[in-house]
Structures are given as C-alpha cells and as structure tokens.
Amino acid sequence: MCGIFAVIGSREVSSLLIDGLRKLEYRGYDSAGIATIDNLNNDQNGQLNVTKSKGKLINLSSLIKKKPQKGHVGIAHTRWATHGKPNERNAHPHLDSSGQFAVVQNGIIENYRELSKRLKVKGIKLTTETDTEIIPHLIGLEIEESLANGLSPNEQTLLLAVQKVLAVLEGTYAIAVIWSRTPNALVVAREQAPLVLGFGEGEFFCASDTPALVGLTRTFLPLRDHEIALLTPLGIELYDDDGNRQHRAPSLLKGMELFADKRNFRHFMLKEIYEQPETAQLWIDRFLPVELPSHNPVAFPISKSILEQIEQIQILACGTSRHAGMVGGHLLEQFAGVPTKVYFASEFRYAPPPLSPNTLTIGVSQSGETADTLAALRMEKERRDSTKDANFSFHHLGITNRVDSSFGRELDNVIDIGSGIEIGVAATKTFLGQMLSFYGLTLQFASLRQKRSPQEILDLSNDLRLIPKQLSDLIKKHDSLSKDLAHLFVETKDVIFLGRGINYPIALEGALKLKEISYIHAQGYPAGELKHGPIALLDQHVPVVSLAVPGVVYEKVLSNSQEAKARDARLIGVSISGPESEMFDELFTIPKVSEWVSPLLTVVPLQLFSYHIAAHKGLDVDQPRNLAKCVTVE
Ligand code: F6R
C-alpha cells in the first residue's frame, strides 16, 4: 500500500508525477503529495517545493493545476495511512527541519520510536505522526557531518548519507529521496517493499509498481531487497547494501494494452466482472488444451517429480485469495484426495502447525506483494530449511496475477493466473483466475495419485471448458437483474450469506464483496451453522443470500434456507430454476452444472449484486474507503 513515483530528466515533471500517481492510486488514496526541486539559477542550489493534499488525488492535481510546481526531478506519493491520521500534515513527502531533504516512503519503519528519541536528543522536533519523518532528519544529520568532514554537496554524498541511514532502519519499506542541493540526483532504495526502476529516453523513473511506467517506458528493472539506486539525467547506478555496483539486464513490460482503460464501463469493477469469460478462456487455452492426455491433464510448469513426493498441502493467503484457497482446499481433498489445510497467512506466521513431512506450501496472492502472505512463506521456508531433513524440505508454489512481483522473484514455482491487470480494489477476475488454478492443480494431483478415473478427469476438464460461455451468459443476465434489485437493499444494514461444501467459501466471498464496497455489514456462514447462533439475527430487515446448488448438500441448503424464510428474512437464492426455487423471494438462476465447477459461476451474481448496491448508493466502488489494492504492510 502507498504508491511511490519519482522522475528525473530534462523536462518539467510535476504533471508526470500526477499522472504516475493516478496509475498507482489503487495502492492508497487517503492523501497525496509531490516534491520537486526548482533549479532556479541552474547552479547546484535548487529550491525544494512541496504540495500535499488530503483525500483523493484529484485534490492534489487541482492544486498543482492552479499553482504549477517547477522542476526536472521530483518524488510523489499516494498514501494509505498506517501511522497517523490521513491528513495533509501526515501526507508525504516529508522534509527535514532545514527543508532541503524530501522523502517518500511505502511500508513501515518499525524502530521509528527509538530513532525519534535519538533525534529529540539532538534537538530535532518531529512535526507529524508518521514513521517516515525521521528519515529526512536522519539524512540531514548524516549530510551535515559529511559536509563538515569536507565532502562536497554532490550526488555521491547524498547516496552515501542515504546508505548510512538505511543501515539503521528496521522494517519493510521502499523510499525515494531528493536534496535541494543536488537537483540532478534522485536516490531510491528498497527493503521488502516493491520498487521498480524505469529506463526512458533521457529520463529515468522509479515506481511502486509497473503500471505507473505505462506510456513512459517499457524497459524496467525491479529493485531487489537491500538495493539502493542513484538516478541522474544520465542514467542509473545500482548498488547492493555493501556498496558493490550491480549490473542486471532490465526486462520489457508486457500486456500494457490491458492497462487501466474503463472502456464504456462506469467502474473498473464492472469492467473486470465482464472480463471474466475472457480470463477463463485464456486460462483454458493456456493450461487445459484438449490435446493433453488424462495422465497429464494440465500444462502447468511444475515438475512432476515434486508433485509425486507430496502427501499434504497447506495454503497461505489473505482475504479473497484465501477464499480461492478454500475452494482449492475442498477440491484437493474431495476430488484429488490430498489432505489440505487453508490458513490465514497473518495467523500462520505466529501460530504455525507442527512441521509435517512432504508438504507442499501454496501461497496465493493476486498482487504477489501482500506482506502477511510473503512473511508467512518466508517463515515457512526458514523453519523447513533449518531442519536439514529432506522429508521436511520447503516444496512451494505461488499462485499470482503478477509474476513480476515479490512472489515471482522469491518463489521457484509460480502459476501465472494471467487475468490481466485488475484496478478495482475489490478482486473479481483475479479470484476467478486463482480458483481456476486450483482446478488445474486438482486435476494434476487426481491423475497423478490415480484418485480419479480417466473419465472423471475428462469430465471435469470438459466442464471447465464450458465455463467461459456460461460465465458470459450469466453476466449478461444477472447484471440487469442485480441492477433492478439494488434499490431494495440501499437501507439494509446486515446480510447473511449461506453456503455449504464447495460453495461455503463463495458465501464468505459474497459477504466480503458486499461489505468492502457497499459498507453493509455482511457475514458468510456454512448454512448448517445458521441454527447455532446467527438465526437469532434474522427478521424482515436481514436478507439472507443462499447458495443452493444441486449436489451433495443441495437438500440441506434448501432446508436451511427454509429456516431463514420462516423467520421472515427476505430470501435471495443463487440456484437452478425449478419447483424448489419457488421459496426464494429473488432468484439468481445458474445453469445446471456439476457441483465441482459451480463456485466459478455462483460467485458472479454475488459480485454483481454487491457492485450494483454500492453503485446505487453512489459509493466509490473502485476505491472503497480504508482499503488498498496491494497490502504491503503486516
Ligand atoms: C478483497 C480483496 C482483498 C485481497 C487481500 C489479499 O476484494 O481484494 O481481500 O484479496 O488483501 O490480497 P492479495 O491477493 O493481493 O494477496
């Protein structure tokens, strides 16, 4: 969370900075700011100018429009508050007391309290509540000492000072720094928070994520942990934390055409819901081509020899990605017969289960940058590596939409779900891509362990191949239905979502989607649990959404739904149409499909239902309050 963008070159940068932030706004949007150096007399004594604003980027951009800010170098930040309220004072960039150094930071400086005490001793008074403000002050002190020792005020002196400050910082962060006395220098560094360098023509960039580079350059290089870079109008120098110069070939951005264009949709979320048939088709074309034999049904880039050793699986993820993991867990156990546990990554890290032998650890994250998931994976690697027992080796796999992320760099085996960039903060098409990847793994394990007959493998594969068309029909049908129903729920305060078996995670996902974008309290339950407590909440003001899909638990879910209806709850069904569905006050019909593939379809009406309620309430669907697309703090 938080987006950093920085530029150095030969043209005015303030509008570039605002454009860059616009492409990163999904990372945080409670305040924003830029700092540039106006090199007034073309000597080495520029003036640092800063503009900050509370709220959305639009506020900052109108300030800059009214009062343009000069400079050929600048840093910019869009914030998701961790330390200190989201207000103008706490917005980045932060300055030292002399107003010469400006810093933007994404992440958390864990030892900032201790470091601020050191600053206090030196008579420095902090003016914000953030953990970031200590950094420009510390850099200022280092520079003061360097200048006193005879060093010149040049970019190498700045680089050295930042290196010294990094050595005392603890936490996970990425920073960008400028100094008014070096208008031809920009220093950036990373410690477990994402940062990429961009190589333009006569100008160089740095950003928290590649979308910010679109339209400026296709050539980029992700920084690695502990690396620091000096950007000047002439090029980029990259160093490791021992000061050794690093040389790596940059990569080329791919799929930029998919970037942030709403087309004719009112919101990115709706566009991304509509893109799901394409997501599914691309996935099927890539991983499930018809010509593959039943003993090797999926074209995943994972070595068979690894999978053969696996006796159990643990899945680590957060939020929507964990719900995809739960669908995966059900499939892996029930279809492929592999014992599987799904964990909240944030809990796993501090309460891991005892080590189990021959275990595959799967991390799931659309962004590939979620701090909790990365930390849990790193912890698991560390404790398994330290046993030195081959039975406990760290077999691992990542499922992500961003192979150019920390997931892609840190994990040896990664399934790229290939959903295309997702801008809406509420995950939709990436959830579908994650679930599909679990179907792929399930087919692979089921055939490898001969848990299912070739015919069963073929049936599931063929059912998956029908999904794109079914999705497309469902979206068309339920978009207008949910739009028509939305006004009925505008005043609703609580909604209960019920599902069982493979559709229980979809009940959780439906509730999460509704609460995060419409701010209506919603709870997902396994339908059988209703009578063990939540039923006490029900009356005519609490609607119940029930996922009733023919299969193992169909009759059970129908009776659980009847229990809700008997308490006067308005009952909304996601079910097939037939005599049983008459009990529902509203019905989102789904086609008769095998229960195994049903989650790929049942989630769609729930996404649309949440979307239309939020849109009807006039809420900011794509950037809901307090949330960010990429959660890079624990
Ligand atoms: C909900 C949502 C979040 C994310 C969660 C994990 O719509 O998007 O719950 O699923 O923050 O994010 P990733 O998948 O990037 O690890």
Side-chain angles (χ1 to χ4, degrees):
M1 28 243 310
C2 298
I4 292 178
F5 186 62
V7 194
I8 188 160
S10 54
R11 55 174 162 159
E12 291 296 329
V13 294
S14 63
S15 62
L16 290 181
L17 292 172
I18 298 289
D19 284 349
L21 287 186
R22 194 165 291 125
K23 295 173 200 158
L24 292 177
E25 209 182 358
Y26 65 88
R27 301 179 66 87
Y29 33 80
D30 58 39
S31 54
I34 67 168
T36 54
I37 301 174
D38 185 357
N39 192 5
L40 303 159
N41 307 317
N42 226 3
D43 59 11
Q44 291 305 298
N45 265 321
Q47 180 181 313
L48 197 58
N49 291 320
V50 180
T51 310
K52 307 203 258 189
S53 171
K54 184 180 170 199
K56 293 290 190 78
L57 186 60
I58 186 99
N59 300 345
L60 178 70
S61 80
S62 46
L63 287 181
I64 298 288
K65 249 187 222 141
K66 273 188 223 139
K67 196 166 171 260
Q69 202 168 296
K70 293 191 82 160
H72 295 173
V73 60
I75 57 178
H77 190 265
T78 176
R79 181 168 186 245
W80 184 89
T82 57
H83 293 72
K85 283 202 160 37
N87 56 28
E88 192 182 318
R89 192 162 50 90
N90 290 330
H92 300 214
H94 292 289
L95 307 187
D96 73 316
S97 325
S98 72
Q100 291 187 38
F101 301 93
V103 173
V104 289
Q105 192 251 141
N106 165 31
I108 289 188
I109 308 300
E110 283 165 4
N111 58 340
Y112 83 101
R113 280 200 185 82
E114 180 202 323
L115 294 170
S116 44
K117 277 186 208 147
R118 283 198 223 165
L119 291 172
K120 209 170 161 192
V121 171
K122 296 204 178 267
I124 294 173
K125 204 168 161 265
L126 298 179
T127 57
T128 73
E129 299 157 283
T130 67
D131 54 340
T132 304
E133 195 195 338
I134 54 154
I135 305 174
H137 292 294
L138 290 169
I139 296 172
L141 289 177
E142 285 297 341
I143 294 272
E144 206 176 290
E145 202 177 313
S146 305
L147 298 184
N149 288 337
L151 290 188
S152 310
N154 60 26
E155 45 266 26
Q156 291 304 327
T157 305
L158 176 63
L159 181 67
L160 200 71
V162 178
Q163 273 165 332
K164 285 189 181 158
V165 170
L166 293 178
V168 300
L169 299 183
E170 286 168 18
T172 56
Y173 55 82
I175 60 167
V177 184
I178 50 176
W179 180 20
S180 58
R181 297 189 70 183
T182 53
N184 283 328
L186 162 66
V187 175
V188 303
R190 126 172 203 150
E191 182 63 50
Q192 291 181 40
L195 207 58
V196 295
L197 301 170
F199 299 75
E201 285 178 15
E203 57 190 1
F204 299 90
F205 312 95
C206 158
S208 295
D209 201 355
T210 48
L213 303 178
V214 172
L216 296 169
T217 178
R218 294 192 63 189
T219 316
F220 76 104
L221 182 73
L223 244 72
R224 292 183 182 156
D225 282 341
H226 326 301
E227 282 185 337
I228 182 166
L230 170 65
L231 287 71
T232 72
L234 300 177
I236 298 183
E237 293 171 16
L238 183 62
Y239 298 91
D240 68 9
D241 52 350
D242 289 326
N244 300 314
R245 185 88 186 254
Q246 303 295 297
H247 298 277
R248 282 200 304 282
S251 314
L252 276 188
L253 283 178
K254 284 184 242 137
M256 288 194 302
E257 57 285 356
L258 295 174
F259 178 70
D261 172 11
K262 262 191 237 166
R263 293 197 247 148
N264 291 328
F265 291 95
R266 191 169 152 210
H267 294 102
F268 279 110
M269 182 179 174
L270 188 60
K271 180 189 99 147
E272 286 154 4
I273 292 173
Y274 266 83
E275 281 171 349
Q276 293 181 109
E278 195 186 337
T279 300
Q281 192 58 58
L282 287 171
W283 189 93
I284 285 161
D285 293 348
R286 207 152 39 116
F287 296 126
L288 207 61
V290 268
E291 62 273 14
L292 288 179
S294 70
H295 64 269
N296 185 23
V298 187
F300 272 164
I302 313 161
S303 124
K304 218 172 156 186
S305 62
I306 293 187
L307 298 184
E308 269 163 0
Q309 300 169 42
I310 298 306
E311 289 166 12
Q312 50 222 309
I313 295 177
Q314 52 189 15
I315 298 172
L316 314 180
C318 303
T320 288
S321 296
R322 194 181 67 94
H323 299 156
M326 288 173 74
V327 173
H330 184 99
L331 287 164
L332 287 160
E333 284 200 332
Q334 304 300 321
F335 191 91
V338 192
T340 304
K341 282 197 168 158
V342 186
Y343 294 90
F344 290 101
S346 53
E347 291 293 314
F348 183 89
R349 191 181 173 199
Y350 298 102
L355 280 182
S356 51
N358 303 318
T359 301
L360 175 66
T361 304
I362 304 180
V364 194
S365 170
Q366 60 80 20
S367 64
E369 297 292 355
T370 297
D372 284 317
T373 311
L374 284 167
L377 287 166
R378 287 176 191 140
M379 185 279 281
E380 187 62 356
K381 173 174 168 38
E382 215 173 291
R383 71 173 183 145
R384 285 188 177 268
D385 286 355
S386 66
T387 70
K388 312 241 182 306
D389 178 338
N391 284 326
F392 294 108
S393 297
F394 183 54
H395 302 297
H396 62 281
L397 173 68
I399 297 180
T400 184
N401 196 34
R402 301 297 303 272
V403 276
D404 54 346
S405 63
S406 298
F407 252 53
R409 285 188 292 280
E410 292 183 26
L411 304 180
D412 297 335
N413 306 299
V414 171
I415 297 175
D416 174 8
I417 63 174
S419 303
I421 193 131
E422 189 177 67
I423 298 290
V425 162
T428 51
K429 63 176 179 169
T430 53
F431 178 62
L432 184 85
Q434 291 168 340
M435 283 197 289
L436 282 167
S437 301
F438 278 111
Y439 281 90
L441 275 180
T442 301
L443 285 168
Q444 226 170 6
F445 273 109
S447 92
L448 199 70
R449 298 162 77 97
Q450 297 182 350
K451 174 73 187 164
R452 295 279 167 176
S453 67
Q455 189 56 49
E456 284 172 300
I457 302 274
L458 188 66
D459 287 346
L460 179 53
S461 306
N462 284 338
D463 285 345
L464 288 170
R465 292 186 184 110
L466 296 176
I467 289 292
K469 168 80 174 72
Q470 288 163 338
L471 279 172
S472 163
D473 295 344
L474 265 192
I475 292 167
K476 267 183 229 138
K477 186 155 74 181
H478 295 321
D479 189 11
S480 48
L481 175 59
S482 35
K483 196 170 178 181
D484 292 346
L485 291 181
H487 71 277
L488 298 174
F489 301 94
V490 169
E491 299 300 326
T492 300
K493 299 270 180 290
D494 299 284
V495 181
I496 303 275
F497 287 75
L498 300 177
R500 281 183 96 140
I502 198 165
N503 276 294
Y504 164 52
I506 303 302
L508 295 179
E509 177 60 8
L512 179 62
K513 285 288 94 89
L514 186 66
K515 63 188 141 196
E516 68 183 335
I517 60 168
S518 73
Y519 315 147
I520 294 173
H521 174 251
Q523 221 38 46
Y525 278 102
E529 277 291 302
L530 183 68
K531 55 191 164 300
H532 298 291
I535 201 163
L537 293 171
L538 298 188
D539 62 19
Q540 69 275 27
H541 303 299
V542 181
V544 171
V545 180
S546 179
L547 298 156
V549 176
V552 186
V553 284
Y554 184 45
E555 300 299 336
K556 301 279 173 209
V557 179
L558 290 176
S559 359
N560 300 141
S561 310
Q562 286 285 10
E563 291 157 13
K565 195 167 169 68
R567 271 79 191 175
D568 294 333
R570 185 180 199 104
L571 201 55
I572 302 153
V574 177
S575 191
I576 55 164
S577 89
E580 295 91 340
S581 63
E582 275 164 22
M583 78 166 85
F584 297 113
D585 298 303
E586 318 294 345
L587 177 65
F588 289 108
T589 50
I590 54 159
K592 270 193 190 148
V593 291
S594 131
E595 194 180 15
W596 294 120
V597 296
S598 61
L600 297 166
L601 301 178
T602 51
V603 72
V604 169
L606 304 190
Q607 294 168 340
L608 288 163
F609 181 64
S610 304
Y611 168 78
H612 281 295
I613 293 175
H616 193 85
K617 288 173 89 172
L619 297 172
D620 190 343
V621 175
D622 287 331
Q623 295 179 346
R625 69 183 179 207
N626 304 337
L627 295 177
K629 186 76 186 157
C630 181
V631 187
T632 53
V633 292
E634 286 176 47

